[in-house]
Amino acid sequence: MVYSPSDDVSQYQPANLWTSTPEYALTPGYFGRTPESSCSSPEYVSDDHRSTHQQPQAEQLEFLPFADWEEERVYNEQPPVYIHYRIDWKVTLNGKSIAQITEPDLVVRPSEFWQNSLKDAAERFKIRKVDHTRRVRMEDIIVVASVKDRTQQDLRQQDESTKIKWAVIEKQLLMWSNLFRLGKQIKLQVSINYTEDSNAALLRSADKRAATSVTKRMLAERDAQIDGENVSGQASAWRDVFRKIRCPGPPCRNRNGYCWQDPVGKKHYRLLTHHVKRLARLVERGHTFDTHDDMPIEIRNELYAEDQQWQERQHRMSKSPQSQGSGLPININFLPHSPQPPALATPADTPPTLPHSNPDMVDTLLIPDLPLDTAVKEYSCWQQSRVDSHALKDDIEKACDLALTNGLDLRQIHEDKDPEFFIRNGVKVGVARRFVNDIREWLEQL
Ligand SMILES: [Zn+2]
């Protein structure tokens, strides 16, 4: 509604006489449409204006009630009455920006602007971008309030849209009143983030592939069927759990980046595939898992017990470093070195991977519990989302097809670290290197 001026302007009736005072620059939308306001009495209006609003020079400014706000009007009261700010907002879908809009000058409460305008506008962009067969939900919104002043820190809020603490943001904006009076610009950056249900994404990627050739279409149909049968509900629960178990940060000795931080004692427990699997299953059945405090007791106990065993084993094996790691309760667990030494590799194929000489640096890959080929396809979709050029996207598709045709799964590709295989088969060198090297990066952003 608000963002299609062509609809709105025709309905506009100036509700407020102040539009005619010289203090307000009229926007182009007003030209030739407000003869009655130019007939009103400017003296009366100005006096009224001044008497009501001149005093609060040293006080906080205020927000204009949304009901009184006229979107097309420029509010440039002198001296200022309202706190003015700018919003740069964007809509993202699966992490990619699909719209970026600037609201150069707002005077209403951000919460009201969100509720009455921005939310619908974002939704419209989403609908325009996503056809009705795709299941997309609003993941969260991120709001960063800032003022152009070195002494002031940004204020950041991130939560589900219903839980954002707008009052905190509004209070901060009002507290910047004096800085605004000094001419410092206040800005809100709002990112409204949608995520496509990953099943739908998988089906769509199969569809996209289908367009390329008959054989591929047949394969895609088969894949879509397999995906639909095997993955329903599972992938999204996995994704959700993965996002929430990311390591909360240092100090942490676990290297796979997924931890449970015990609220008591703050110790980090490394989470492995089977933990995540169980957690995802519980979440599917309705268990709430929003923070580390929500870790189910049975998994906690398992983690404590495993940790105990691990400590004991470490103690026993402390004199035979060779065997370290072998007794870990790990589903997917390997050393990061290439099993075939890459001594004969051509210079072009020397990826900047640092070999871990420390034998107890075990590189654990947590791969979602998807069918192996589906995981390769998901990974390929992600790789494609990182490039713009169609040629590169096609090349990633080629690498994906090569992996699938040869039955390679992600763990094997990660272990082999063999871009040469893909290059020999016609994949461009950079694409091939990213394809073999970035699997961990993909897993970490899931
Ligand atoms: Zn950790």
Side-chain angles (χ1 to χ4, degrees):
M1 45 172 192
V2 179
Y3 294 96
S4 47
S6 55
D7 296 338
D8 288 351
V9 169
S10 62
Q11 290 162 12
Y12 175 75
Q13 293 296 329
N16 193 319
L17 291 173
W18 296 357
T19 41
S20 63
T21 66
E23 292 170 9
Y24 298 113
L26 299 182
T27 58
Y30 285 72
F31 289 142
R33 60 168 56 254
T34 57
E36 68 275 22
S37 66
S38 61
C39 296
S40 61
S41 158
E43 304 89 329
Y44 167 76
V45 168
S46 306
D47 288 345
D48 179 54
H49 181 204
R50 300 247 151 79
S51 64
T52 322
H53 289 302
Q54 198 150 28
Q55 304 92 330
Q57 180 68 35
E59 292 167 22
Q60 270 191 358
L61 300 172
E62 56 192 43
F63 291 108
L64 176 68
F66 192 85
D68 299 342
W69 183 52
E70 294 154 42
E71 193 206 341
E72 301 294 321
R73 182 166 137 189
V74 174
Y75 291 84
N76 58 349
E77 340 83 59
Q78 288 300 333
V81 178
Y82 306 116
I83 187 90
H84 288 242
Y85 62 96
R86 160 200 177 110
I87 292 189
D88 290 333
W89 60 274
K90 67 174 178 181
V91 183
T92 72
L93 176 61
N94 297 334
K96 281 174 73 179
S97 174
I98 57 171
Q100 291 197 2
I101 311 283
T102 295
E103 307 289 343
D105 190 40
L106 288 170
V107 290
V108 294
R109 288 186 179 278
S111 59
E112 292 191 310
F113 184 69
W114 162 254
Q115 197 59 38
N116 296 300
S117 175
L118 189 48
K119 197 165 74 172
D120 291 339
E123 187 72 18
R124 272 201 309 281
F125 274 110
K126 184 207 75 178
I127 292 168
R128 204 186 298 169
K129 203 76 187 177
V130 177
D131 73 67
H132 67 282
T133 58
R134 291 167 66 183
R135 275 179 300 171
V136 172
R137 65 197 156 85
M138 194 186 286
E139 184 70 35
D140 60 6
I141 62 177
I142 301 169
V143 185
V144 180
S146 61
V147 62
K148 273 200 173 160
D149 186 283
R150 277 188 304 127
T151 65
Q152 299 294 310
Q153 296 206 328
D154 294 355
L155 174 76
R156 182 187 160 94
Q157 294 272 319
Q158 172 170 13
D159 212 327
E160 292 165 35
S161 63
T162 52
K163 293 182 180 164
I164 283 281
K165 293 186 182 114
W166 289 108
V168 176
I169 295 158
E170 286 165 4
K171 190 173 153 199
Q172 181 65 73
L173 261 50
L174 292 173
M175 282 165 62
W176 283 332
S177 287
N178 281 332
L179 291 170
F180 169 69
R181 282 205 188 84
L182 294 171
K184 313 258 182 176
Q185 192 186 49
I186 298 172
K187 186 167 80 174
L188 285 189
Q189 287 162 289
V190 181
S191 178
I192 302 137
N193 306 312
Y194 290 93
T195 310
E196 184 172 11
D197 185 289
S198 65
N199 291 327
L202 290 171
L203 292 169
R204 190 165 45 83
S205 77
D207 286 349
K208 217 166 39 183
R209 234 191 304 288
T212 40
S213 77
V214 177
T215 327
K216 281 185 177 175
R217 187 169 68 235
M218 286 162 64
L219 285 173
E221 279 163 6
R222 186 204 60 190
D223 293 346
Q225 219 173 356
I226 293 169
D227 293 347
E229 284 162 8
N230 290 2
V231 199
S232 61
Q234 211 177 14
S236 62
W238 264 93
R239 191 176 286 266
D240 204 41
V241 166
F242 261 109
R243 192 174 296 123
K244 285 165 182 164
I245 57 166
R246 196 159 297 158
C247 177
C252 179
R253 283 169 39 219
N254 304 332
R255 293 191 60 254
N256 66 356
Y258 296 99
C259 295
W260 172 60
Q261 189 177 24
D262 192 348
V264 182
K266 302 292 172 200
K267 177 172 172 164
H268 289 231
Y269 291 82
R270 181 166 54 167
L271 291 171
L272 304 171
T273 309
H274 65 279
H275 303 123
V276 185
K277 201 178 205 167
R278 287 182 54 198
L279 195 50
R281 227 174 273 147
L282 288 167
V283 168
E284 272 173 334
R285 292 195 211 121
H287 177 87
T288 306
F289 185 74
D290 287 334
T291 69
H292 288 235
D293 293 355
D294 300 325
M295 181 62 81
I297 192 76
E298 62 265 35
I299 300 181
R300 289 184 193 213
N301 286 338
E302 196 179 314
L303 289 167
Y304 293 142
E306 284 171 0
D307 186 60
Q308 182 67 30
Q309 287 164 14
W310 161 252
Q311 307 267 4
E312 287 167 10
R313 252 197 317 269
Q314 283 296 94
H315 184 71
R316 278 201 305 273
M317 300 205 282
S318 55
K319 280 172 192 151
S320 59
Q322 294 264 334
S323 57
Q324 276 189 16
S326 59
L328 276 170
I330 290 175
N331 290 15
I332 303 162
N333 171 18
F334 53 88
L335 294 172
H337 316 280
S338 173
Q340 299 103 13
L344 300 174
T346 60
D349 135 88
T350 318
T353 46
L354 300 168
H356 299 284
S357 51
N358 185 346
D360 56 28
M361 289 290 215
V362 177
D363 187 14
T364 310
L365 256 202
L366 271 171
I367 292 181
D369 192 24
L370 301 170
L372 295 175
D373 50 347
T374 303
V376 174
K377 281 180 265 175
E378 271 243 301
Y379 172 62
S380 160
C381 287
W382 171 75
Q383 283 281 11
Q384 290 187 41
S385 75
R386 302 196 303 165
V387 297
D388 203 36
S389 121
H390 287 292
L392 288 174
K393 284 183 198 289
D394 287 348
D395 230 40
I396 295 165
E397 187 90 22
K398 195 186 285 175
C400 175
D401 285 343
L402 273 169
L404 292 172
T405 314
N406 288 277
L408 288 167
D409 63 45
L410 288 181
R411 185 164 61 97
Q412 292 167 333
I413 296 167
H414 180 84
E415 271 178 327
D416 295 351
K417 288 245 185 323
D418 181 17
E420 269 306 308
F421 165 75
F422 293 95
I423 296 166
R424 269 199 311 275
N425 286 283
V427 177
K428 292 185 185 72
V429 59
V431 171
R433 283 167 60 179
R434 279 194 295 277
F435 203 79
V436 305
N437 283 320
D438 297 353
I439 296 169
R440 173 172 298 285
E441 196 181 330
W442 171 66
L443 291 168
E444 279 169 0
Q445 58 77 54
L446 273 179

